[in-house]
């Protein structure tokens, strides 16, 4: 099914943007995992609307667990949670059934589902469904931490404004704490201020702007993943591409490696002071042959500008069979990449935990 993924950790997401509720069901969490609900709620709050540079729409995103937990611990049964949709304005989408939005799924979905698709809020194509992904990912993050694995992401770029990238080798506890407590998800607060100004300029111009999220996973043992279609990078990419507005993903040096020589991008091995095998550089992004090599897993994700903009745009009238224009109403993020930072962390967490469970 289109909304299910994973081998050992089987995740199924359900619901629509304006349905009564959205949710997730997960098979594979081992019994006895104690959940820190306060930590999970803090993680979900990072994705929720109403933050700096995001839509003014408010939604609490409070998950209600229907099964899979006993006294706050996983009990081995499938874990299922729902989140009620409490702040919807479906009337904003009335005209879109006949006037598809440029840059959205409206037109191909109308053709594929014979006009029966839910247009309100984008239906099942909405980024609203990243909330239940973050429920599964937030729990996976807690499970990974018990295995010594941590995952962090930040907003690397908004338009032409760039944050300081992660160090490809090390990530200090001080940097981790700063990123956790940052009001805006950047490593450099000054870059974050400039990004917010850039987003505000786009909003005032009735426009939007794209962005790039950089993510890292530290503490993975060597050999997680497999060759061919069982690769760790392939698993991460598959979940990441399920996030709306994602247009690209690159591991390590990514596309820049295509301009280099092998002598420039091969990561030399050495024994460190503890006797562990490490590499002096990390152009491969911590993955070789689909398997983790013991270095940080590093990747970047590109998000397109929000297609819902208030400027008049050219479209077609599917009922009248003529060209027309469209002015989109509603409450939309001028830069989707801001709220996507924890979503990328969640996607990485479920993919990595699934591969870890495979052994």
């Amino acid at each position: 099914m289109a909304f299910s993924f994973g081998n050992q950790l089987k995740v199924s997401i359900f619901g629509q943007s304006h349905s009564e509720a959205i949710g997730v069901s997960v098979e594979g969490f081992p019994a006895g995992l104690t959940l820190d609900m306060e930590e999970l709620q803090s993680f979900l709050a990072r994705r929720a609307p109403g933050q700096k540079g995001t839509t003014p729409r408010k939604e609490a995103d409070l998950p209600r667990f229907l099964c899979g937990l006993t006294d706050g611990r996983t009990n081995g049964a499938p874990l299922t949670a729902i989140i009620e949709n409490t702040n919807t304005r479906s009337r904003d989408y009335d005209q879109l059934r006949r006037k598809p939005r440029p840059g959205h799924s409206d037109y191909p979905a109308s053709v594929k589902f014979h006009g029966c698709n839910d247009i309100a809020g984008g239906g099942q194509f909405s980024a609203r469904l990243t909330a239940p992904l973050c429920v599964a990912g937030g729990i996976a993050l807690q499970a990974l931490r018990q295995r010594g694995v941590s995952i962090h992401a930040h907003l690397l770029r908004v338009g032409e404004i760039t944050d300081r990238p992660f160090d490809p080798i090390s990530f200090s506890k001080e940097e981790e704490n700063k990123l956790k407590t940052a009001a805006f998800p950047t490593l450099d607060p000054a870059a974050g201020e400039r990004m917010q100004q850039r987003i505000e300029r786009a909003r005032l111009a009735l426009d939007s702007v794209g962005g790039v999220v950089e993510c890292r996973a530290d503490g993975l043992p060597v050999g997680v993943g497999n060759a061919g279609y069982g690769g760790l990078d392939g698993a991460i990419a598959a979940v990441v591409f399920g996030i709306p507005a994602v247009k690209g993903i690159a591991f390590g040096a990514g596309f820049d490696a295509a301009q280099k020589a092998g002598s420039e991008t091969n990561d030399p091995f050495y024994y460190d002071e503890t006797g562990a095998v490490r590499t002096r550089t990390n152009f491969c992004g911590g993955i070789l042959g689909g398997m983790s090599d013991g270095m940080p897993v590093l990747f970047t994700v590109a998000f397109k500008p929000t297609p819902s903009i208030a400027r008049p745009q050219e479209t077609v009238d599917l009922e009248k069979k003529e060209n027309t224009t469209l002015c989109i109403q509603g409450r939309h993020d001028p830069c989707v990449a801001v709220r996507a930072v924890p979503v990328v962390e969640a996607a990485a967490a479920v993919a990595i935990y699934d591969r870890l469970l495979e052994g």
Side-chain angles (χ1 to χ4, degrees):
M1 292 177 63
F3 290 89
S4 299
F5 58 87
N7 297 325
Q8 302 302 311
L9 190 73
K10 299 178 181 179
V11 181
S12 295
I13 293 171
F14 55 88
Q16 299 130 235
S17 180
H18 289 195
S19 58
E20 184 174 338
I22 53 179
V24 63
S25 185
V26 186
E27 294 181 64
F29 281 124
L33 176 64
T34 299
L35 297 192
D36 186 330
M37 291 300 183
E38 185 175 337
E39 179 183 332
L40 178 61
Q41 195 58 58
S42 295
F43 180 69
L44 295 175
R46 291 171 53 205
R47 191 221 67 94
Q51 305 171 59
K52 292 182 179 180
T54 70
T55 172
R57 181 171 55 85
K58 297 287 187 181
E59 204 122 38
D61 285 358
L62 296 171
R64 180 160 63 90
F65 289 89
L66 305 182
C67 56
L69 291 179
T70 301
D71 298 328
R73 296 192 302 172
T74 55
N75 57 25
L79 186 150
T80 300
I82 62 170
I83 299 174
E84 294 182 0
N85 288 327
T86 59
N87 191 353
T88 59
R89 291 197 330 209
S90 298
R91 65 183 182 277
D92 290 341
Y93 299 85
D94 289 344
Q95 65 173 327
L96 303 183
R97 186 162 297 283
R98 63 185 180 90
K99 290 184 177 183
R101 294 167 293 180
H104 276 276
S105 62
D106 302 344
Y107 173 65
S110 177
V111 173
K112 181 176 181 66
F113 298 113
H114 312 292
C116 298
N117 55 302
D118 180 9
I119 203 71
Q124 70 266 41
F125 299 95
S126 171
R128 178 74 181 129
L129 271 72
T130 60
L133 172 61
C134 282
V135 173
I139 297 171
L141 285 168
Q142 294 186 30
L144 284 168
R145 190 170 61 242
Q146 293 187 7
R147 291 173 173 242
V149 178
S150 62
I151 297 175
H152 299 88
H154 71 116
L155 197 52
L156 178 63
R157 189 163 73 242
V158 167
E160 70 283 1
I161 311 300
T162 304
D163 187 23
R164 171 169 52 86
F166 280 129
D167 183 294
I169 304 296
S170 63
F171 187 50
S172 70
K173 199 67 180 176
E174 181 183 2
E175 286 181 305
E176 178 183 343
N177 292 333
K178 283 183 179 179
L179 188 57
K180 278 183 178 179
T181 58
F184 194 78
T186 54
L187 297 174
D188 179 2
E193 288 293 333
R194 293 194 297 273
M195 288 180 182
Q196 292 173 66
Q197 294 167 9
R198 177 67 180 87
I199 294 169
E200 180 63 9
R201 289 200 301 272
R203 187 188 69 81
L204 293 175
L206 307 182
D207 213 337
S208 61
V209 63
V212 175
V213 173
E214 184 183 33
C215 186
R216 70 180 297 138
D218 293 271
L220 267 75
V222 178
V224 177
N226 215 320
Y229 300 109
L232 178 61
D233 43 1
I236 294 171
V239 184
V240 165
F241 270 114
I243 303 170
V246 168
K247 301 305 291 183
I249 185 170
F251 290 83
F255 286 90
D256 289 341
Q259 307 173 53
K260 306 282 187 180
S263 57
E264 295 176 290
T265 58
N266 286 347
D267 300 308
F269 290 108
Y270 75 101
Y271 284 105
D272 69 10
E273 62 278 2
T274 69
V277 175
R278 306 278 290 171
T279 60
R280 298 195 183 280
T281 54
N282 193 12
F283 292 111
C284 72
I287 299 176
L288 292 169
M291 302 171 291
S292 58
D293 68 357
M295 299 297 289
V297 170
L298 284 167
F299 63 94
T300 54
V301 182
F303 287 85
K304 70 178 182 179
T306 315
S308 290
I309 57 176
R311 290 185 178 188
Q313 299 181 81
E314 292 184 18
T315 188
V316 294
D317 189 314
L318 296 175
E319 290 182 0
K320 296 181 179 180
K321 307 294 184 184
E322 63 184 24
N323 298 325
T324 186
T325 58
L326 172 70
C327 286
I328 297 175
Q329 307 297 317
R331 301 160 292 176
H332 306 284
D333 291 273
C335 180
V336 296
V338 178
R339 291 168 58 202
V341 172
V343 182
V344 171
E345 292 178 357
V350 292
I352 290 172
Y353 193 52
D354 178 48
R355 288 296 187 263
L356 266 173
L357 289 175
E358 287 184 341

